[in-house]
Amino acid sequence: MAESTAPKNRLVAVCGKGGTGKTAFTAMMTKVLLDNGHGGKLLLIDADPAMGLPLALGVNVRRTMGQIREDIIRTARKGKQEESRQLVDKLDYMVFEALEEMDNFALLAMGRTDTLGCYCPINDILRSVTETLASSFDTILIDGEAGLEQINRQVMRRVDTLIIISDATSRGLQTAAQIKGMAQTERVIQCERLGLVFNRVHGNEELLKQAAQDMGLEVFGYIPQDENIAHYDLLGKPLMELTTSPGLDAVRNIVEKRIFNERFS
Ligand SMILES: Nc1ncnc2c1ncn2[C@@H]1O[C@H](COP(=O)(O)OP(=O)(O)OP(=O)(O)O)[C@@H](O)[C@H]1O
Ligand SMILES: [Mg+2]
């Protein structure tokens, strides 16, 4: 049978307590997929309004989805129906404008939105345009916030794999348990597979494994404390430029053996 050329469309989201290494993990996962070529056509989505991912990837973002949302709200508030209608017609194009296309991957930053209040119809339209855009990629990696609401409201209603990053602290584990509840009980987002990655680990793997087991969470792997990662961050150097390092090696192992293993390729 001829091999299908349809996009594989594998959706992977990264979440977890603030500062645990979500962005570092997403950037290193990108690096691994670019190195081994298993990601195919690759889309990165920065769903965190603080927007750390562009820096970690070495990409300069000119326009965000938040800015597009602001434009739409501003035009709609002027109340000119014709203008609003034209804007809706141009939405696909506007979202495309926010897509930063590099040689080997593309990046979409959700960014911040300054207008408070619920603009559900606008969020719904933008999310559906984002979902359509994402459907033409083989792999979509989403760098999220601690919670899942932001991803659900503005990016995607479903993902294949949700990776929770935790450090070796009880707060990190508590957040992981909350995220598990959001995904599996409250169903804030639909997800097929959920697992934990422990970051900045200095031993204690057995204790962490037990804690994850007690929560009913699969462990995808452990990443050691790695001074190269901290050093790159201090210098503002993109983590994508790391070539070899214990942290990157651990991420490669997790990505190749647990996330993009045969079940998902
Ligand atoms: N394995 C590691 N070894 C050493 N430093 C690390 C490691 N992982 C992440 N860091 C450092 O920890 C800090 C937080 O990492 P990062 O920004 O990736 O976390 P985050 O979860 O995305 O944070 P936020 O919630 O603010 O978005 C950064 O300074 C990063 O360089
Ligand atoms: Mg981050």
Side-chain angles (χ1 to χ4, degrees):
M1 209 166 73
E3 206 179 303
S4 158
T5 51
K8 289 197 183 107
N9 212 234
R10 295 167 296 198
L11 290 151
V12 177
V14 181
C15 57
K17 181 172 88 68
T20 46
K22 300 178 288 295
T23 301
F25 182 80
T26 309
M28 290 189 280
M29 176 156 58
T30 305
K31 161 90 181 140
V32 168
L33 292 175
L34 291 178
D35 284 351
N36 68 17
H38 294 173
K41 198 176 166 203
L42 182 60
L43 173 66
L44 277 293
I45 298 182
D46 190 353
D48 183 346
M51 284 190 19
L53 190 62
L55 188 66
L57 295 172
V59 177
N60 182 25
V61 168
R62 285 164 295 185
R63 197 149 162 74
T64 68
M65 291 290 282
Q67 289 166 335
I68 292 172
R69 183 175 177 269
E70 293 295 309
D71 284 352
I72 297 170
I73 294 170
R74 213 175 303 120
T75 309
R77 276 183 177 165
K78 281 199 218 143
K80 293 200 182 111
Q81 255 189 3
E82 181 58 14
E83 252 182 60
S84 303
R85 207 181 48 74
Q86 278 173 359
L87 206 63
V88 170
D89 289 344
K90 278 198 320 200
L91 262 181
D92 286 4
Y93 173 73
M94 289 170 85
V95 172
F96 200 70
E97 259 187 299
L99 190 72
E100 292 292 342
E101 293 188 273
M102 314 307 288
D103 286 343
N104 42 9
F105 66 92
L107 170 70
L108 189 65
M110 303 317 284
R112 205 173 281 291
T113 168
D114 297 326
T115 311
L116 292 175
C118 176
Y119 290 88
C120 297
I122 295 172
N123 289 342
D124 288 351
I125 294 170
L126 286 177
R127 182 184 55 197
S128 118
V129 177
T130 307
E131 283 173 334
T132 308
L133 174 76
S135 68
S136 66
F137 285 82
D138 293 309
T139 305
I140 299 100
L141 307 179
I142 305 167
D143 179 15
E145 292 183 304
L148 300 176
E149 291 91 351
Q150 161 87 349
I151 295 179
N152 176 271
R153 197 169 54 239
Q154 301 194 329
V155 192
M156 294 285 158
R157 282 162 296 183
R158 61 160 281 271
V159 295
D160 295 303
T161 308
L162 191 59
I163 303 171
I164 307 174
I165 311 284
S166 177
D167 47 19
T169 67
S170 52
R171 279 272 327 281
L173 284 161
Q174 242 171 37
T175 307
Q178 282 164 1
I179 293 170
K180 180 178 186 276
M182 281 187 227
Q184 295 182 336
T185 315
E186 298 164 41
R187 300 222 159 250
V188 172
I189 202 164
Q190 227 181 300
C191 97
E192 300 265 313
R193 196 166 169 231
L194 179 67
L196 253 177
V197 168
F198 286 108
N199 188 22
R200 310 187 83 154
V201 172
H202 313 258
N204 289 328
E205 276 95 337
E206 280 309 313
L207 270 175
L208 295 169
K209 190 172 164 187
Q210 186 59 50
Q213 210 169 12
D214 293 345
M215 285 195 279
L217 271 171
E218 181 181 353
V219 179
F220 288 146
Y222 307 86
I223 305 169
Q225 167 69 21
D226 181 342
E227 288 322 312
N228 290 329
I229 297 177
H231 191 64
Y232 268 54
D233 203 11
L234 181 67
L235 299 177
K237 241 174 116 171
L239 275 176
M240 287 273 282
E241 290 174 15
L242 265 180
T243 45
T244 162
S245 203
L248 180 63
D249 292 345
V251 174
R252 180 171 295 113
N253 207 30
I254 293 168
V255 169
E256 293 182 345
K257 301 223 167 85
R258 308 302 301 275
I259 317 289
F260 289 88
N261 51 3
E262 50 293 338
R263 280 177 58 189
F264 284 87
S265 49

